[in-house]
Amino acid sequence: MGGRGGWWRGKSTPAKVETYTRWSFHTFPFIEVATFALPAFGYVPAPVNWILFLLVSTHAAVAAVTASLTLDWTRGRRPLPVRLLWALGTATVVIAVVSLVVALHGPRGADNGAAAGTVFVGVLSFGIGTLALAVRGTRRMVYGVLGAAVGAGAVAVPAGVSAPGAAVAAGAVVLAAGFFTFTSAFSVWLLNAVYELDEARETRARLAVAEERLRFGRDLHDVMGRNLAVVALKSELAVQLARRGRPEAVEQMVEVQRIARETQREVREVVRGYREADLRTELAGAQGVLTAAGIDCEVSGPVTGLPAEIQSALGWVVREATTNVLRHGDAARCAVSLRVAEGRVTLTVENDGAPGIGSGSGTDTAEPGRGSGLAGLRERLREVDGVLRAGPAGSDLFRLTAEVPLPPDSVPEQAPAPEPGGSPRPVPHPVSEVTS
């Protein structure tokens, strides 16, 4: 997807929040100039109005650069711009005082006092709000706002403002600077919280994979440990019998051969997941895991009555698709549907967090460099004459479809889909994990 919409949809949720936060702060300079500098042209005569405009514009530009670099520091991408913060603080005080003095003691206009007070309060408020991005701790932010208000009142009186006017200016600074400081603090908190939630989600997915690997290791140990112990015992017995010239040694080695072949078969079943790839279990596990991850998951269609090999193949499709919705997409909704019609069973997995199944895997042909998960799923479906299709389905949907023909005498029963309360199991698998 190209264009601006594709650029936005291609971002993760934390990246979207960060982009929104940055552009919000990038609009503050325009708001400062439009609110406090441009009105001066209607109240203050030239050249004082141009002086106020240039001073406020300079302050807005410095504040914009400071906000951008400080947000980078918040995300740990660069050191704290200490010098720039000092420069912004100094510029805030100097420009506020100069604008107040110029407006009050320059050429008299229609309403110099109102223009001076507006510029004075606006510059201080935006400056304190931007500096709050580099402050950690609510108490320090409150001290900063109160200090700016006290300083505003202390500077306004010597500049020629009456005591009541200075008090009003100090109160206005408390309100305006407090609002911008709260905006900055909340924006940083929200940005950090979204990134932390995203990291927690990735950690949960990694833990699910680790748990499945442990389960796989336990299954493999159960199969190999028991059978290898029997092989060792019978081999030792065969050696002893052979040394004595007993014909029973041949029978023992035949038994060792049989156990070895049985072990090979059981290990293959463990590796390929045939022992637990039950479609109903996988659907219940997918619904439970996705719901726990905050994704609205809906499962529909008949589950029971399908042949065991078809259930196993479709169970793997559900497992791999769910893994990728968790790890590679940014979905808020996922729908899994099972449909039986015209001698074919169709499994469809849709999510609104494209790409969903893996980057660049939206075709029905496995190509070099594509995700190995799709190739693995196609191999499993090929064993039951099934096909797999995956790709975008509209502007914000990704759809994976698996179709498998049913045997002529197979008529599945209509059964309700797994309930959300079913016992979910981790869907990622250590052996065939879909990667982009």
Side-chain angles (χ1 to χ4, degrees):
M1 284 177 287
R4 185 175 180 181
W7 165 80
W8 178 257
R9 282 192 292 269
K11 289 180 174 290
S12 63
T13 298
K16 289 179 180 178
V17 174
E18 181 174 356
T19 301
Y20 174 79
T21 302
R22 288 183 176 276
W23 280 105
S24 297
F25 280 99
H26 290 165
T27 60
F28 282 0
F30 299 98
I31 296 175
E32 183 177 0
V33 173
T35 305
F36 304 113
L38 293 180
F41 287 96
Y43 296 99
V44 182
V48 177
N49 50 14
W50 281 104
I51 295 176
L52 292 177
F53 177 79
L54 293 177
L55 289 176
V56 175
S57 299
T58 301
H59 181 267
V62 175
V65 176
T66 304
S68 179
L69 297 182
T70 306
L71 285 174
D72 286 340
W73 167 76
T74 300
R75 297 303 316 142
R77 297 169 186 156
R78 67 169 66 244
L80 182 65
V82 178
R83 294 183 178 179
L84 191 58
L85 290 168
W86 277 105
L88 176 62
T90 303
T92 297
V93 175
V94 172
I95 292 176
V97 173
V98 170
S99 63
L100 182 64
V101 172
V102 169
L104 291 177
H105 301 283
R108 306 304 296 174
D111 197 352
N112 282 22
T118 302
V119 173
F120 182 67
V121 172
V123 169
L124 282 177
S125 301
F126 273 95
I128 296 299
T130 304
L131 292 173
L133 291 172
V135 177
R136 292 294 176 267
T138 305
R139 182 176 299 179
R140 293 183 178 181
M141 294 181 184
V142 172
Y143 288 163
V145 173
L146 295 179
V150 173
V155 169
V157 173
V161 180
S162 61
V168 171
V173 170
V174 169
L175 296 177
F179 171 77
F180 287 115
T181 298
F182 172 79
T183 301
S184 299
F186 180 77
S187 299
V188 171
W189 173 83
L190 179 62
L191 184 60
N192 291 333
V194 170
Y195 270 103
E196 289 174 2
L197 287 174
D198 188 66
E199 293 173 1
R201 180 178 178 179
E202 292 180 358
T203 301
R204 179 169 50 192
R206 288 194 296 268
L207 289 176
V209 173
E211 183 179 349
E212 184 69 4
R213 286 174 177 168
L214 289 175
R215 184 202 63 80
F216 172 78
R218 289 192 299 267
D219 288 353
L220 196 61
H221 176 270
D222 292 342
V223 172
M224 296 294 292
R226 180 188 67 251
N227 291 355
L228 288 177
V230 176
V231 167
L233 180 62
K234 288 188 172 293
S235 299
E236 183 180 357
L237 178 59
V239 170
Q240 297 295 331
L241 293 173
R243 287 176 178 175
R244 298 174 186 176
R246 300 281 296 276
E248 291 87 347
V250 176
E251 297 178 1
Q252 295 298 325
M253 291 309 299
V254 171
E255 182 67 12
V256 167
Q257 186 181 34
R258 185 193 67 79
I259 295 174
R261 289 176 177 174
E262 180 69 15
T263 302
Q264 184 181 23
R265 183 188 63 81
E266 290 182 357
V267 170
R268 189 182 299 114
E269 289 180 354
V270 172
V271 171
R272 300 180 69 176
Y274 286 167
R275 287 167 56 171
E276 293 190 351
D278 176 72
L279 180 57
R280 187 176 185 86
T281 301
E282 295 300 332
L283 287 172
Q287 192 170 37
V289 171
L290 292 176
T291 302
I295 300 173
D296 183 18
C297 180
E298 179 182 352
V299 178
S300 60
V303 176
T304 59
L306 296 174
E309 62 274 11
I310 293 180
Q311 286 205 37
S312 177
L314 295 180
W316 264 102
V317 174
V318 173
R319 178 184 299 183
E320 303 288 7
T322 305
T323 299
N324 283 274
V325 171
L326 285 171
R327 301 188 61 187
H328 300 298
D330 187 23
R333 182 185 62 83
C334 181
V336 183
S337 63
L338 200 64
R339 182 171 58 88
V340 179
E342 299 180 357
R344 302 181 69 85
V345 56
T346 303
L347 173 70
T348 304
V349 182
E350 283 187 353
N351 73 89
D352 58 357
I357 191 68
S359 177
S361 57
T363 63
D364 193 39
T365 304
E367 301 176 6
R370 294 298 177 103
S372 60
L374 283 180
L377 290 180
R378 289 190 175 91
E379 291 176 2
R380 296 180 188 280
L381 290 173
R382 195 174 297 121
E383 295 178 1
V384 291
D385 298 326
V387 294
L388 180 74
R389 288 186 291 271
S395 59
D396 59 350
L397 286 179
F398 189 91
R399 178 181 299 157
L400 183 144
T401 304
E403 292 186 2
V404 180
L406 290 171
D409 57 346
S410 176
V411 181
E413 300 176 2
Q414 297 293 325
E419 299 180 358
S423 301
R425 55 182 301 273
V427 292
H429 196 278
V431 177
S432 179
E433 179 178 312
V434 182
T435 55
S436 56

